[in-house]
Amino acid sequence: GVMEKLGLGPEVLLQENPRLIYARLTGFGQTGKYAKSAGHDINYLSVSGVLSKLGRKDENPYAPINLLADFAGGGVMCAMGIIIALYERTRSGKGQIIDASMVEGVAYLSSFLWKSQNLGLWSRPRGENMLDSGAPFYETYKTSDGKFMAVGALEPKFYEQLMKGLGLDSDKFPSQMSFSDWPKMKKKIASIFAQKTQDEWCSIFDGTDACVTPVLSFDEAASHQHNKQRSSFIKNDQEEISPRPAPLLSRTPAVPSFKRDPFIGEHTEEILREYGFTKEEITKLYSDKVIEFSKPKPNL
C-alpha cells in the first residue's frame, strides 16, 4: 500500500498510461490472510510447502540461505512476469498489473515436486529419498584434507562409474536401489572418500561420467579450469569477483560492467541535479534526512 499512499498506485498510473506494466513483488501477494504481514524468505518458503521437503533425516527443515523464495520465486518469477506482459502488450497494446507473490513463485518453481509425488521419488520421510540426501549416490562426502566432493550418480551407468572410481565391486555391493541398505552404503562410501584429498579424487573422476565433482568455495570456483575456460566469472576494477551475466546469448551477449558497485547515496546529488532540483532544494532534502550522500574517499 506504500505506492497508493503516495498517489502512485497502479490504477492511477494505468489511467495516465494504459500501456504501463506495473509489477508488485511481495512475499505473500496482494490478497489473502497474510497479505499485510511481514515475512522473510524462510516464511514464504514455509507457507509454500517447499520448506517441509528440505533437510536431512531426523533434523528440522532447513532453509538454504535466502535464494529460493527471495531470488528465484520472487525476483526471477517477477522478471518473467514482466517479460510475459511485455510480449502480450505487442498483441493487445495494453499494460497490466503483475501480482508476484514469493510464496506462489517458489511453489510454482517446485512444480516438479508436486507433479512427481506419485512416482515414488518422495514417498519416504524427509531426508530418506533419492534427491534429499537419503541416497548414498546423491550426497556430499568429506575428503582427507577437510574438503568435499559432490556425488550425483543417479543413472545405473553413472553409478557403475562411481563404483569403479571408488574401487568397489558393484556385484559385491548392495543393489543401488536397496533403500534399506542406503545408510550402510553411505558409511562405506564416506570412509573411502575420507582416504584421499579433494585433488586426488578429482584426478580419478575428472573426465568420467561418474557425476562426481569438487565442492568449490567462491574463490576456487572463480579459478577452476572449467569456469576459467568459459570466463564464467569476472573481476571489476577493484579486483572483486562476481559471476558473469547468464545465460550467454550468441548474438547479443550481455556486456558486464567492470566498475565497482556504487555506494548508497553516491550519485544522489548528481541525479537530482539532472532532474532539475536546485542546490538549495537538495540541501533541504539532505537536512530533512529524506536523502543521504556517500562520497567515496580518495586513495592517497
PDB file of all heavy atoms in Angstrom, residues 26 47 54-55 63 69 118 124 167 186 199 228 232 244-245 280 300:
ATOM      1  N   THR A  26       5.883  -8.974  -3.753  1.00  0.00           N
ATOM      2  CA  THR A  26       5.746  -9.075  -2.294  1.00  0.00           C
ATOM      3  C   THR A  26       5.907 -10.528  -1.867  1.00  0.00           C
ATOM      4  O   THR A  26       5.912 -11.432  -2.696  1.00  0.00           O
ATOM      5  CB  THR A  26       4.365  -8.571  -1.830  1.00  0.00           C
ATOM      6  OG1 THR A  26       3.347  -9.352  -2.471  1.00  0.00           O
ATOM      7  CG2 THR A  26       4.166  -7.107  -2.150  1.00  0.00           C
ATOM      8  N   VAL A  47       5.314 -21.406   3.940  1.00  0.00           N
ATOM      9  CA  VAL A  47       3.902 -21.377   3.546  1.00  0.00           C
ATOM     10  C   VAL A  47       3.695 -22.013   2.166  1.00  0.00           C
ATOM     11  O   VAL A  47       2.615 -22.510   1.853  1.00  0.00           O
ATOM     12  CB  VAL A  47       3.372 -19.919   3.575  1.00  0.00           C
ATOM     13  CG1 VAL A  47       1.938 -19.833   3.068  1.00  0.00           C
ATOM     14  CG2 VAL A  47       3.452 -19.373   5.000  1.00  0.00           C
ATOM     15  N   LEU A  54      12.867 -29.865   2.660  1.00  0.00           N
ATOM     16  CA  LEU A  54      14.297 -29.556   2.715  1.00  0.00           C
ATOM     17  C   LEU A  54      14.880 -29.874   4.077  1.00  0.00           C
ATOM     18  O   LEU A  54      14.427 -29.356   5.092  1.00  0.00           O
ATOM     19  CB  LEU A  54      14.529 -28.078   2.390  1.00  0.00           C
ATOM     20  CG  LEU A  54      13.927 -27.571   1.068  1.00  0.00           C
ATOM     21  CD1 LEU A  54      14.187 -26.081   0.918  1.00  0.00           C
ATOM     22  CD2 LEU A  54      14.494 -28.333  -0.108  1.00  0.00           C
ATOM     23  N   GLY A  55      15.894 -30.722   4.107  1.00  0.00           N
ATOM     24  CA  GLY A  55      16.546 -31.064   5.363  1.00  0.00           C
ATOM     25  C   GLY A  55      16.899 -32.534   5.423  1.00  0.00           C
ATOM     26  O   GLY A  55      16.370 -33.349   4.670  1.00  0.00           O
ATOM     27  N   ALA A  63      16.297 -24.143   5.685  1.00  0.00           N
ATOM     28  CA  ALA A  63      16.152 -23.139   4.623  1.00  0.00           C
ATOM     29  C   ALA A  63      17.515 -22.801   4.040  1.00  0.00           C
ATOM     30  O   ALA A  63      18.393 -22.324   4.764  1.00  0.00           O
ATOM     31  CB  ALA A  63      15.498 -21.877   5.175  1.00  0.00           C
ATOM     32  N   ALA A  69      13.072 -18.468  -2.177  1.00  0.00           N
ATOM     33  CA  ALA A  69      11.870 -17.629  -2.225  1.00  0.00           C
ATOM     34  C   ALA A  69      12.180 -16.208  -2.693  1.00  0.00           C
ATOM     35  O   ALA A  69      11.504 -15.674  -3.569  1.00  0.00           O
ATOM     36  CB  ALA A  69      11.186 -17.607  -0.865  1.00  0.00           C
ATOM     37  N   ASN A 118       3.552 -39.017  -6.932  1.00  0.00           N
ATOM     38  CA  ASN A 118       3.067 -40.387  -7.107  1.00  0.00           C
ATOM     39  C   ASN A 118       4.033 -41.279  -7.879  1.00  0.00           C
ATOM     40  O   ASN A 118       3.688 -42.408  -8.233  1.00  0.00           O
ATOM     41  CB  ASN A 118       1.706 -40.368  -7.812  1.00  0.00           C
ATOM     42  CG  ASN A 118       0.650 -39.642  -6.987  1.00  0.00           C
ATOM     43  OD1 ASN A 118       0.657 -39.729  -5.765  1.00  0.00           O
ATOM     44  ND2 ASN A 118      -0.239 -38.917  -7.652  1.00  0.00           N
ATOM     45  N   ARG A 124       9.101 -41.460   0.818  1.00  0.00           N
ATOM     46  CA  ARG A 124       9.692 -41.699   2.130  1.00  0.00           C
ATOM     47  C   ARG A 124       9.801 -40.391   2.913  1.00  0.00           C
ATOM     48  O   ARG A 124       9.675 -39.307   2.343  1.00  0.00           O
ATOM     49  CB  ARG A 124      11.073 -42.345   1.957  1.00  0.00           C
ATOM     50  CG  ARG A 124      11.028 -43.673   1.204  1.00  0.00           C
ATOM     51  CD  ARG A 124      12.401 -44.120   0.743  1.00  0.00           C
ATOM     52  NE  ARG A 124      13.246 -44.502   1.865  1.00  0.00           N
ATOM     53  CZ  ARG A 124      13.194 -45.692   2.457  1.00  0.00           C
ATOM     54  NH1 ARG A 124      12.328 -46.611   2.041  1.00  0.00           N
ATOM     55  NH2 ARG A 124      13.989 -45.971   3.470  1.00  0.00           N
ATOM     56  N   GLY A 167      36.772 -47.898  -6.388  1.00  0.00           N
ATOM     57  CA  GLY A 167      37.438 -49.186  -6.214  1.00  0.00           C
ATOM     58  C   GLY A 167      36.539 -50.242  -5.609  1.00  0.00           C
ATOM     59  O   GLY A 167      37.016 -51.184  -4.964  1.00  0.00           O
ATOM     60  N   LYS A 186      26.196 -45.644   2.534  1.00  0.00           N
ATOM     61  CA  LYS A 186      26.696 -44.274   2.691  1.00  0.00           C
ATOM     62  C   LYS A 186      27.918 -44.239   3.613  1.00  0.00           C
ATOM     63  O   LYS A 186      28.899 -43.534   3.350  1.00  0.00           O
ATOM     64  CB  LYS A 186      25.583 -43.373   3.238  1.00  0.00           C
ATOM     65  CG  LYS A 186      25.900 -41.891   3.160  1.00  0.00           C
ATOM     66  CD  LYS A 186      24.783 -41.026   3.708  1.00  0.00           C
ATOM     67  CE  LYS A 186      23.626 -40.924   2.755  1.00  0.00           C
ATOM     68  NZ  LYS A 186      22.668 -39.871   3.163  1.00  0.00           N
ATOM     69  N   ASP A 199      41.844 -33.049  -4.421  1.00  0.00           N
ATOM     70  CA  ASP A 199      42.587 -33.070  -5.690  1.00  0.00           C
ATOM     71  C   ASP A 199      42.797 -34.490  -6.197  1.00  0.00           C
ATOM     72  O   ASP A 199      42.701 -34.754  -7.404  1.00  0.00           O
ATOM     73  CB  ASP A 199      43.936 -32.370  -5.539  1.00  0.00           C
ATOM     74  CG  ASP A 199      43.811 -30.855  -5.544  1.00  0.00           C
ATOM     75  OD1 ASP A 199      42.739 -30.345  -5.943  1.00  0.00           O
ATOM     76  OD2 ASP A 199      44.788 -30.187  -5.140  1.00  0.00           O
ATOM     77  N   LYS A 228      37.162 -20.999 -15.808  1.00  0.00           N
ATOM     78  CA  LYS A 228      38.098 -20.076 -16.454  1.00  0.00           C
ATOM     79  C   LYS A 228      38.021 -20.202 -17.974  1.00  0.00           C
ATOM     80  O   LYS A 228      38.072 -19.206 -18.697  1.00  0.00           O
ATOM     81  CB  LYS A 228      39.521 -20.350 -15.975  1.00  0.00           C
ATOM     82  CG  LYS A 228      39.818 -19.785 -14.579  1.00  0.00           C
ATOM     83  CD  LYS A 228      41.206 -20.132 -14.094  1.00  0.00           C
ATOM     84  CE  LYS A 228      42.260 -19.327 -14.822  1.00  0.00           C
ATOM     85  NZ  LYS A 228      43.616 -19.558 -14.271  1.00  0.00           N
ATOM     86  N   SER A 232      33.478 -17.659 -16.851  1.00  0.00           N
ATOM     87  CA  SER A 232      32.217 -17.639 -16.109  1.00  0.00           C
ATOM     88  C   SER A 232      32.190 -16.597 -14.999  1.00  0.00           C
ATOM     89  O   SER A 232      31.117 -16.217 -14.537  1.00  0.00           O
ATOM     90  CB  SER A 232      31.947 -19.016 -15.497  1.00  0.00           C
ATOM     91  OG  SER A 232      31.873 -20.003 -16.502  1.00  0.00           O
ATOM     92  N   ARG A 244      29.667 -13.810 -14.242  1.00  0.00           N
ATOM     93  CA  ARG A 244      29.330 -13.142 -15.495  1.00  0.00           C
ATOM     94  C   ARG A 244      27.822 -13.301 -15.736  1.00  0.00           C
ATOM     95  O   ARG A 244      27.248 -14.317 -15.369  1.00  0.00           O
ATOM     96  CB  ARG A 244      30.095 -13.806 -16.637  1.00  0.00           C
ATOM     97  CG  ARG A 244      29.902 -13.147 -18.000  1.00  0.00           C
ATOM     98  CD  ARG A 244      30.362 -14.059 -19.123  1.00  0.00           C
ATOM     99  NE  ARG A 244      29.538 -15.267 -19.175  1.00  0.00           N
ATOM    100  CZ  ARG A 244      29.878 -16.387 -19.792  1.00  0.00           C
ATOM    101  NH1 ARG A 244      31.037 -16.499 -20.381  1.00  0.00           N
ATOM    102  NH2 ARG A 244      29.065 -17.429 -19.796  1.00  0.00           N
ATOM    103  N   PRO A 245      27.160 -12.316 -16.345  1.00  0.00           N
ATOM    104  CA  PRO A 245      25.729 -12.456 -16.630  1.00  0.00           C
ATOM    105  C   PRO A 245      25.429 -13.731 -17.410  1.00  0.00           C
ATOM    106  O   PRO A 245      26.178 -14.113 -18.310  1.00  0.00           O
ATOM    107  CB  PRO A 245      25.410 -11.209 -17.460  1.00  0.00           C
ATOM    108  CG  PRO A 245      26.429 -10.198 -17.040  1.00  0.00           C
ATOM    109  CD  PRO A 245      27.676 -10.985 -16.755  1.00  0.00           C
ATOM    110  N   GLU A 280      19.786  24.350  -3.383  1.00  0.00           N
ATOM    111  CA  GLU A 280      19.089  24.651  -2.131  1.00  0.00           C
ATOM    112  C   GLU A 280      18.077  23.558  -1.804  1.00  0.00           C
ATOM    113  O   GLU A 280      17.955  23.122  -0.648  1.00  0.00           O
ATOM    114  CB  GLU A 280      18.370  26.014  -2.221  1.00  0.00           C
ATOM    115  CG  GLU A 280      19.293  27.224  -2.267  1.00  0.00           C
ATOM    116  CD  GLU A 280      20.028  27.370  -3.604  1.00  0.00           C
ATOM    117  OE1 GLU A 280      19.510  26.839  -4.627  1.00  0.00           O
ATOM    118  OE2 GLU A 280      21.123  27.964  -3.617  1.00  0.00           O
ATOM    119  N   LEU A 300      44.800   8.026  -1.052  1.00  0.00           N
ATOM    120  CA  LEU A 300      46.002   8.870  -1.039  1.00  0.00           C
ATOM    121  C   LEU A 300      47.228   8.025  -0.708  1.00  0.00           C
ATOM    122  O   LEU A 300      47.139   7.099   0.065  1.00  0.00           O
ATOM    123  CB  LEU A 300      45.832   9.998  -0.019  1.00  0.00           C
ATOM    124  CG  LEU A 300      44.639  10.946  -0.269  1.00  0.00           C
ATOM    125  CD1 LEU A 300      44.537  11.947   0.879  1.00  0.00           C
ATOM    126  CD2 LEU A 300      44.838  11.685  -1.592  1.00  0.00           C
TER     127      LEU A 300
END
